[in-house]
Amino acid sequence: DAEITQSPRHKITETGRQVTLACHQTWNHNNMFWYRQDLGHGLRLIHYSYGVQDTNKGEVSDGYSVSRSNTEDLPLTLESAASSQTSVYFCASSERGRVNNEQFFGPGTRLTVL
Amino acid sequence: KNEVEQSPQNLTAQEGEFITINCSYSVGISALHWLQQHPGGGIVSLFMLSSGKKKHGRLIATINIQEKHSSLHITASHPRDSAVYICAVYGGTSYGKLTFGQGTILTVHP
């Protein structure tokens, strides 16, 4: 069955380190998204991509970057981790080509920055 | 004021009760998602709708585009329905990107 996976599921790192969170989907979806979820803020969009070589900033993109070299993967990199980036991160994907696209979410990565 | 408002923020029910969660939005939309998140768990899409009503098992979702309002109903609630329910909308001019409500925490007691 097609699915969307994230790794690692849990990560503890130190301030200043570079961290990369992986997202892989097997639906062949063109659209992929990264969100963070925090108490009091709900889900917020970090970066998104509508296809290979396409990346766009979301509402909370500072300190994060993404790259899209193939359809299946959209890794999220924290260039220099900060304690404010402690959060749960969700990746999602959706089919391109229609306005109303259902998004499918990964299981999440819990990141702690000490 | 958030573009997507959910009510109530917290809801406690007894097993078997009929439950309604409301979502109001202030922008024009092309579609609306209802999502479910169990404690410590991932996010699951329950419905996506742009008009009318959809039903899946004990769950029913309705939307009124003119009134900018959607409801999620759970009939014969069960403790396993305990979760956070999130409303999210696709803005009319924003392709592919969702705007989320803050979520409604539902607890169903046996």
Side-chain angles (χ1 to χ4, degrees), chain A residues 33 37 50 100-103, chain B residues 33 37 45 48 90 95-96:
Chain A
F33 307 85
Q37 185 179 41
Y50 290 147
N100 304 334
N101 301 316
E102 184 174 12
Q103 288 196 19
Chain B
H33 248 304
Q37 184 176 25
S45 173
M48 195 179 75
Y90 286 108
Y95 173 71

Side-chain angles (χ1 to χ4, degrees), chain B residues 13-19 58 74-79 81 108-110:
Chain B
Q14 290 296 125
E15 184 174 357
E17 288 184 356
F18 181 85
I19 289 164
R58 295 180 294 105
I74 304 175
T75 61
S77 60
H78 189 276
D81 296 326
V108 181
H109 293 294

